[in-house]
Amino acid sequence: MSTQTTTEAKMSSDGLLKNQVALVTGSGRGIGLAIARKLASSGAQAIITDISQEAADAGAKELKDSGLKADAFVCNVTDTDSIEKMTQAVIEKYGKIDILVNNAGITRDTLIMRMKLEDWNLVIETNLSSVFKVSQIVLKHMSKAEYGRIVNIASVIGIHGNVGQANYAAAKGGVIALTKTIAKEYAKRNVTCNAIAPGFIDTAMTQKLKPEIKEQYMKFIPLGRFGQPEDVAKLAHFFCTGGSYITGQAIEVDGGMFM
């Protein structure tokens, strides 16, 4: 993290999420870590989870080095036992979970005719079924507390589709539909659920793309730049602070790419 970002994290605390516990899956790096940082900058206790202890510890350390509250937990979001153990550990230590951000995800891209069933299943399990599993377990605690904010990280691909990403598009489209269903089922318990659909965000995943492919994407972005993880984090922060009358929505963060 840059010195500027570190300084901003220390200076920008507004206390809006003071005493709240924010669990972010897949938050060892990238968009997940940016969201955890933004929530922690408002006073939340950030719960960094990742599939490896090393990644979770690294993410938590980065936040704590900025003077923010963070704790690391291992969680394999495809494994119900792992989710339950992680959730129980968080509840035992902090007493509650106020915010859940379902961010963990993977890609296994190829054309439909070349896609192996195992790659279809793995992406569906990691990107969609995990959102159901984690939400189902955390919602038990939010429902009892009669308060909760859930933010699911979907994708513009889940709305518009994309060549070579049938599995990813299906999973992210499912996340949006699941978001709306959770919103309807739990509104009476004062739990909101919204989705963010990022476009081209500059992360380690997208940095692996060839320059010519990036140039092609850039032609379709009216704002003329790729998004930053912080652009997604700001919307997640809004859903968890000022968005109390917004639920069941899927908002695209894509620089106008699909307006």
Side-chain angles (χ1 to χ4, degrees), residues 1-216:
M1 184 169 67
S2 67
T3 302
Q4 181 181 0
T5 304
T6 303
T7 302
E8 288 175 352
K10 290 180 178 179
M11 295 177 62
S12 64
S13 180
D14 51 31
L16 292 174
L17 297 176
K18 184 179 180 181
N19 298 324
Q20 292 201 24
V21 179
L23 168 61
V24 185
T25 68
S27 50
R29 62 177 183 172
I31 291 174
L33 183 57
I35 292 172
R37 183 186 302 119
K38 185 65 176 176
L39 299 179
S41 75
S42 278
Q45 169 66 56
I47 305 300
I48 307 296
T49 75
D50 215 289
I51 196 168
S52 77
Q53 187 70 58
E54 182 180 6
D57 287 342
K61 182 179 185 301
E62 187 168 319
L63 265 60
K64 288 188 282 190
D65 286 348
S66 299
L68 302 173
K69 295 185 292 184
D71 202 350
F73 292 82
V74 172
C75 182
N76 178 352
V77 295
T78 67
D79 186 324
T80 302
D81 288 341
S82 178
I83 298 168
E84 289 180 341
K85 288 178 182 178
M86 177 274 296
T87 303
Q88 189 58 39
V90 172
I91 293 295
E92 288 179 358
K93 187 169 184 179
Y94 295 102
K96 59 178 182 172
I97 297 174
D98 301 287
I99 295 167
L100 168 63
V101 181
N102 286 300
N103 167 77
I106 61 170
T107 57
R108 293 293 187 274
D109 298 347
T110 191
L111 297 173
I112 290 175
M113 293 301 293
R114 299 175 183 172
M115 187 172 290
K116 296 178 180 178
L117 182 58
E118 52 262 40
D119 286 335
W120 168 272
N121 289 337
L122 182 60
V123 170
I124 295 296
E125 184 68 19
T126 306
N127 294 12
L128 175 57
S129 297
S130 71
V131 178
F132 164 74
K133 292 177 181 179
V134 179
S135 297
Q136 185 182 54
I137 292 170
V138 173
L139 275 166
K140 295 176 183 178
H141 302 282
M142 289 183 170
S143 182
K144 185 177 181 180
E146 295 191 358
Y147 179 86
R149 297 289 179 262
I150 298 177
V151 180
N152 296 326
I153 304 305
S155 170
V156 293
I157 305 304
I159 300 172
H160 305 282
N162 195 33
V163 173
Q165 291 191 297
N167 48 6
Y168 189 79
K172 292 301 187 179
V175 167
I176 293 171
L178 177 58
T179 295
K180 294 176 181 293
T181 300
I182 292 173
K184 288 185 176 183
E185 289 190 5
Y186 283 87
K188 61 186 177 183
R189 306 301 293 179
N190 193 28
V191 176
T192 65
C193 185
N194 292 287
I196 300 175
F200 196 106
I201 306 298
D202 189 13
T203 63
M205 183 183 296
T206 56
Q207 286 167 5
K208 295 177 182 178
L209 295 175
K210 295 179 181 179
E212 57 267 29
I213 295 179
K214 291 183 180 181
E215 289 177 11
Q216 287 297 318

